[in-house]
Amino acid sequence: MSAKTAVLTDKAPKPLPGIYSQAIIANGVVYCSGAVALDPATGKLIEGDIKAHTHQCIKNLTHVLEAAGTNIDKVVKVNVFLANMDDFAEMNSVYTQYWGDVKPCRTCVAVKTLPLNTDVEIECVAVL
C-alpha cells in the first residue's frame, strides 16, 4: 500500500480540523478537496457574484496545488458543483480562463445546497 501525504498551506482556507485535508498526495497524484470562495485570511465567503466566487475557488485550489508541488496546468479532472444551473454560463466564462491549453476532464452538476449556502464549489485532481 502506498503512503499518502496531507497538504496544508495558509494561502488557502484552513480545513476543518480532524474532518478533511486541503489535499492528499498519493502515487504521484494530488487529490484536492472542494474549494468554496472563502478568503483564507478571514475564513469568510468573499463578496460578489458567481464570477467572483469562481475566481476565488480556483485561486484557493491553485495555492493548494502549488503547496503540493504541482500547478493548475497539471490538473486532469475537475468537478464543479453549482447551487443553481442558471449560473453555468457565467461560471464557465471564468473557468475557461484557467487550466492551460489542454483543459482537464470535467463534471458539472447542480446540487441542492453547498457549504455556507454559497453558489459554487470546485474540486480537482492533478499530477505532480
Side-chain angles (χ1 to χ4, degrees):
M1 187 166 171
S2 67
K4 63 180 184 178
T5 304
V7 176
L8 180 63
T9 177
D10 60 1
K11 293 181 179 179
K14 294 179 183 174
L16 297 172
I19 306 295
Y20 66 94
S21 300
Q22 288 172 327
I24 294 289
I25 302 170
N27 293 327
V29 179
V30 180
Y31 301 88
C32 292
S33 291
V36 295
L38 290 177
D39 178 328
T42 66
K44 297 181 191 256
L45 284 174
I46 65 162
E47 296 290 326
D49 60 6
I50 186 74
K51 289 181 179 183
H53 291 171
T54 301
H55 276 296
Q56 187 66 41
C57 290
I58 297 171
K59 181 178 175 182
N60 290 340
L61 287 170
T62 298
H63 288 303
V64 172
L65 291 166
E66 289 170 352
T70 190
N71 63 62
I72 198 165
D73 291 337
K74 293 184 179 179
V75 170
V76 295
K77 175 70 169 127
V78 176
N79 292 318
V80 178
F81 306 94
L82 294 173
N84 186 338
M85 201 52 91
D86 291 343
D87 290 332
F88 185 76
E90 287 191 341
M91 177 277 298
N92 273 331
S93 73
V94 172
Y95 178 94
T96 57
Q97 299 172 36
Y98 295 94
W99 317 109
D101 292 333
V102 178
K103 302 300 186 207
C105 299
R106 189 182 91 178
T107 300
C108 182
V109 296
V111 296
K112 184 176 179 182
T113 308
L114 288 167
L116 305 173
N117 291 315
T118 191
D119 48 8
V120 61
E121 181 174 1
I122 302 174
E123 66 181 24
C124 67
V125 177
V127 294
L128 287 175

